[in-house]
C-alpha cells in the first residue's frame, strides 16, 4: 500500500509539467478527408517559458560545485554582473577595509615605538607619525594617506623606516583599488544590456500568406534614432522530444531559417520590420495546422543582435512566443506612413493585427501536397486601403492649396485653367488608382 502511494506521488524529474495528469491528453482518430495528423487535442499542456517576454532566461542553476571559488576567481565579471546595490556595497567595503587595515598597522607601529606613551610630545622624543596618539588618529592618518587629502596635521617622519614603507604600500594598494572599482563601475554602466530595453518585439507572431507561401512573421522595432550596426536576427523552436532510442530531451532546440542563405537575416533597423520565416519542407512548422497550433506545446525564441552605434559593443535582445501567442490568419497593421517630406512611424499600431479570412487553415504540408486553390494575390487588402486613405488625404490638401491659388487668378486665366484641368484630371486619377492596386 505504501509502494502504491509513493508511485502515484512520484514526479518525473525531467518532465516540464508537474504530473502526468497535467500533461496533454491525446486521442487518435482518422483525420477529416485524410488531412491532419490524426490527433485531436483535448487539453493544452501547461509549460513554463524558457525565455521570458523581457528576454530573461527562466533558468536556475543548482548544485554547482565550488561556485563561490569560481565566481571569486573571475572577480571582475562578478562585479559587472551583480546588482548595483551589491556593487556599491562592495565598493564601500573595499575602501573601508583598506583604511581600517592600514590604520591598525600604523597604530601598532606607534604602539611598538612608544608614540602612545608620549601624548604631550616630548622635545627629546621623535614619533614615527606625528600626532597619532590612538587608534582613531591612526585611522584618520590612513584615510588621509590613501585619499591624498593632506591636511598637514599628521605626517610620517624618517624615524621609522617601517612606517615610511607602509605609506608607500598603502599608496600602491589605494591606486589598485581605485582603478579596479572605477573600471568595474564604468564597464557596468557602459554595458549594452540596457540598450535592449529600446529594442521592441511584437506581442504576438502571426501566420499568413506572403507571396503565395505560408509564412510565420513577427515584428521588431528600434525606439531610438541611433542605429544598431550589423543588425541580424535568428530564431529557434524549443519543444520536448523523444529520440529514436527513447531518450527524452526536455528542451530540444531546432533552428528556424529566417533567410540566412539569402542574407535576409541582416536587416537595416531604422523603421519597424517584419521578420519572415517561410514554412517549407525544411521548416519545423511544416506539418502544423491551425488546429495543431491551438493545442501544441512549443516555444519560439527570437533573437536580435547587433552593435550599439555609440559604443560599438554587441547587444542582444530576446523574446519568445508560445504556441498560444501565434495568431493564425492574421497580419500586422501598417506602422510606416509617408508624409510630404518624410516617413512617419506610428508605434500605436506596432502590436496590432487584423484577421485575414482567406488564410488556409491547413498546414503548409497539406497545402503543398493537395494543391489548394489560393485567393488572388492582387485582391484588395487592408494595407492598400490605408495607403489610399493617406494618398486621398494628401490629394485633398493639394486641392485645397490649388483652390486658394486659383482665387488669385484673373477671370480669363482661371477659365483657361479649368478647361485644361477638365480634360486630363479624371483620366490621371483613374490611371493612378488602377496602377496602385
Amino acid at each position: 500500500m505504501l509502494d502504491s502511494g509513493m508511485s502515484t506521488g512520484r514526479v518525473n524529474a525531467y518532465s516540464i509539467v508537474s504530473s502526468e495528469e497535467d500533461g496533454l491528453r491525446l486521442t487518435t482518430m482518422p483525420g477529416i478527408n485524410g488531412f491532419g495528423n490524426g490527433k485531436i487535442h483535448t487539453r493544452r499542456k501547461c509549460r513554463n517559458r524558457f525565455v521570458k517576454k523581457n528576454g530573461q532566461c527562466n533558468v536556475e542553476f543548482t548544485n554547482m560545485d565550488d561556485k563561490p571559488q569560481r565566481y571569486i576567481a573571475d572577480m571582475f565579471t562578478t562585479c559587472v554582473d551583480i546588482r548595483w546595490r551589491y556593487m556599491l556595497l562592495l565598493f564601500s567595503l573595499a575602501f573601508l577595509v583598506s583604511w581600517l587595515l592600514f590604520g591598525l598597522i600604523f597604530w601598532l607601529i606607534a604602539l611598538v615605538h612608544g608614540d602612545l606613551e608620549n601624548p604631550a610630545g616630548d622635545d627629546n622624543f621623535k614619533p614615527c607619525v606625528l600626532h597619532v596618539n590612538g587608534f582613531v588618529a591612526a585611522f584618520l592618518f590612513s584615510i588621509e594617506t590613501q585619499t591624498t587629502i593632506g591636511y598637514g596635521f599628521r605626517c610620517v617622519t624618517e624615524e621609522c623606516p617601517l612606517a615610511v614603507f607602509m605609506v608607500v604600500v598603502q599608496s600602491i594598494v589605494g591606486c589598485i583599488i581605485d582603478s579596479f572599482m572605477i573600471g568595474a563601475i564604468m564597464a557596468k554602466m557602459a554595458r549594452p544590456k540596457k540598450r535592449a530595453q529600446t529594442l521592441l518585439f511584437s506581442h504576438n507572431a502571426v501566420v499568413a500568406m506572403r507571396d503565395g507561401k505560408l509564412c510565420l512573421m513577427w515584428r521588431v522595432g528600434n525606439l531610438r534614432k541611433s542605429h544598431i550596426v550589423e543588425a541580424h536576427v535568428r530564431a529557434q523552436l524549443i519543444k520536448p522530444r523523444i529520440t529514436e532510442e527513447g531518450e527524452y530531451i526536455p528542451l530540444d532546440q531546432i533552428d528556424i531559417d529566417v533567410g540566412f542563405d539569402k542574407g535576409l537575416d541582416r536587416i537595416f533597423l531604422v523603421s519597424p520590420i517584419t521578420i519572415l520565416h517561410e514554412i517549407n519542407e525544411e521548416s519545423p512548422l511544416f506539418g502544423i495546422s491551425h488546429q495543431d497550433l491551438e493545442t501544441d506545446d512549443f516555444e519560439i525564441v527570437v533573437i536580435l543582435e547587433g552593435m550599439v552605434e555609440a559604443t560599438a559593443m554587441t547587444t542582444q535582445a530576446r523574446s519568445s512566443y508560445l504556441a498560444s501567442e501565434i495568431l493564425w490568419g492574421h497580419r500586422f497593421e501598417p506602422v510606416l506612413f509617408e508624409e510630404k517630406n518624410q516617413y512617419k512611424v506610428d508605434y500605436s499600431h506596432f502590436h496590432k493585427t487584423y484577421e485575414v479570412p482567406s488564410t488556409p487553415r491547413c498546414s503548409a504540408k497539406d497545402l503543398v501536397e493537395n494543391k489548394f486553390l489560393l485567393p488572388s494575390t492582387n485582391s484588395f487588402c487592408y494595407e492598400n486601403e490605408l495607403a489610399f486613405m493617406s494618398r486621398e488625404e494628401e490629394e485633398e490638401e493639394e486641392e485645397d492649396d490649388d483652390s486658394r491659388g486659383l482665387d488669385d487668378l484673373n477671370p480669363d486665366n482661371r477659365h483657361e485653367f479649368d478647361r485644361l484641368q477638365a480634360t486630363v484630371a479624371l483620366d490621371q486619377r483613374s490611371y493612378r488608382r488602377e496602377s496602385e492596386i
Side-chain angles (χ1 to χ4, degrees):
M1 186 69 179
L2 181 61
D3 293 337
S4 63
M6 293 178 62
S7 62
T8 57
R10 188 180 294 112
V11 178
N12 186 4
Y14 297 97
S15 178
I16 297 179
V17 294
S18 59
S19 65
E20 295 181 358
E21 293 181 357
D22 294 333
L24 187 66
R25 299 177 181 177
L26 300 176
T27 304
T28 58
M29 63 179 298
I32 301 175
N33 296 329
F35 303 128
N37 55 9
K39 297 179 181 179
I40 293 181
H41 308 266
T42 58
R43 213 162 109 193
R44 182 190 293 273
K45 182 184 290 185
C46 253
R47 70 187 298 273
N48 293 323
R49 286 184 179 273
F50 185 60
V51 176
K52 299 179 181 179
K53 297 296 284 186
N54 59 0
Q56 294 181 355
C57 297
N58 191 21
V59 179
E60 181 182 0
F61 300 102
T62 59
N63 301 325
M64 295 174 58
D65 296 334
D66 302 329
K67 178 179 177 180
Q69 293 84 345
R70 295 176 184 272
Y71 276 59
I72 292 176
D74 190 11
M75 178 58 69
F76 187 82
T77 306
T78 302
C79 292
V80 173
D81 288 342
I82 59 176
R83 294 176 178 270
W84 274 107
R85 61 177 72 101
Y86 302 122
M87 182 66 182
L88 296 177
L89 178 62
L90 182 63
F91 180 84
S92 303
L93 287 177
F95 286 103
L96 286 175
V97 170
S98 64
W99 295 339
L100 288 172
L101 176 62
F102 284 99
L104 178 62
I105 292 175
F106 286 122
W107 179 76
L108 291 175
I109 292 175
L111 179 64
V112 172
H113 189 260
D115 296 351
L116 304 181
E117 298 176 357
N118 296 274
D122 191 359
D123 295 338
N124 298 326
F125 180 78
K126 192 172 184 179
C128 292
V129 183
L130 295 177
H131 304 287
V132 174
N133 302 321
F135 178 76
V136 176
F139 177 70
L140 292 176
F141 176 72
S142 174
I143 295 176
E144 295 174 13
T145 301
Q146 187 165 333
T147 57
T148 64
I149 293 177
Y151 289 119
F153 185 68
R154 299 179 182 87
C155 62
V156 66
T157 63
E158 65 275 8
E159 181 69 19
C160 300
L162 181 60
V164 176
F165 175 75
M166 293 310 302
V167 169
V168 175
V169 172
Q170 186 176 10
S171 300
I172 297 174
V173 172
C175 291
I176 294 174
I177 294 176
D178 290 342
S179 60
F180 181 86
M181 298 306 298
I182 294 175
I185 291 177
M186 290 300 298
K188 190 175 181 65
M189 292 177 62
R191 278 192 311 172
K193 184 177 180 180
K194 295 301 181 181
R195 181 63 174 90
Q197 302 296 325
T198 52
L199 298 175
L200 199 60
F201 290 91
S202 57
H203 291 330
N204 297 94
V206 298
V207 175
M209 300 299 296
R210 176 69 70 87
D211 295 329
K213 300 175 182 178
L214 201 62
C215 298
L216 172 71
M217 295 171 281
W218 65 92
R219 180 178 276 172
V220 296
N222 181 15
L223 299 181
R224 288 186 181 273
K225 290 187 176 181
S226 59
H227 298 173
I228 297 295
V229 183
E230 295 292 333
H232 58 278
V233 294
R234 54 192 178 97
Q236 287 187 334
L237 185 139
I238 298 179
K239 65 181 299 183
R241 182 174 71 91
I242 298 178
T243 64
E244 297 179 358
E245 296 78 15
E247 179 186 4
Y248 177 72
I249 303 177
L251 295 173
D252 187 32
Q253 301 182 11
I254 306 172
D255 189 63
I256 293 179
D257 184 24
V258 291
F260 177 78
D261 296 335
K262 300 179 181 179
L264 300 178
D265 62 321
R266 295 183 288 275
I267 58 177
F268 183 48
L269 193 59
V270 177
S271 62
I273 296 178
T274 300
I275 308 301
L276 184 72
H277 164 63
E278 179 183 339
I279 305 178
N280 51 23
E281 292 82 356
E282 299 179 355
S283 172
L285 305 175
F286 187 58
I288 295 180
S289 64
H290 176 260
Q291 180 183 357
D292 300 329
L293 190 64
E294 293 178 348
T295 52
D296 212 337
D297 174 35
F298 64 85
E299 180 179 356
I300 295 179
V301 178
V302 293
I303 302 171
L304 171 63
E305 292 179 327
M307 291 188 299
V308 181
E309 187 179 30
T311 61
M313 300 179 69
T314 303
T315 184
Q316 185 182 88
R318 299 178 294 267
S319 186
S320 69
Y321 302 103
L322 298 179
S324 60
E325 296 172 342
I326 300 177
L327 305 179
W328 191 286
H330 282 245
R331 287 183 187 150
F332 289 107
E333 291 189 3
V335 295
L336 184 63
F337 304 95
E338 184 178 0
E339 292 188 346
K340 292 183 177 180
N341 56 354
Q342 64 180 357
Y343 292 91
K344 177 182 178 182
V345 177
D346 187 359
Y347 273 98
S348 63
H349 298 274
F350 184 83
H351 301 287
K352 295 180 181 180
T353 64
Y354 65 95
E355 188 175 1
V356 183
S358 59
T359 305
R361 299 290 177 174
C362 63
S363 64
K365 180 179 180 181
D366 294 336
L367 195 64
V368 172
E369 293 177 353
N370 298 280
K371 306 298 182 182
F372 283 91
L373 292 177
L374 298 177
S376 174
T377 56
N378 293 327
S379 60
F380 197 78
C381 64
Y382 180 71
E383 292 93 337
N384 295 342
E385 183 178 359
L386 287 181
F388 290 151
M389 291 173 60
S390 178
R391 180 61 61 86
E392 288 175 356
E393 290 178 358
E394 294 179 0
E395 291 175 354
E396 291 177 358
E397 293 179 358
E398 292 176 357
E399 290 176 358
D400 293 339
D401 295 338
D402 293 340
S403 63
R404 286 192 295 267
L406 289 175
D407 294 338
D408 299 333
L409 296 177
N410 56 48
D412 295 335
N413 293 336
R414 182 168 183 176
H415 176 72
E416 182 65 20
F417 179 82
D418 292 340
R419 186 181 64 81
L420 293 174
Q421 187 181 24
T423 57
V424 297
L426 182 59
D427 293 337
Q428 287 180 350
R429 177 167 297 189
S430 60
Y431 174 76
R432 185 187 307 167
R433 181 64 56 86
E434 291 174 0
S435 63
E436 287 177 348
I437 293 178

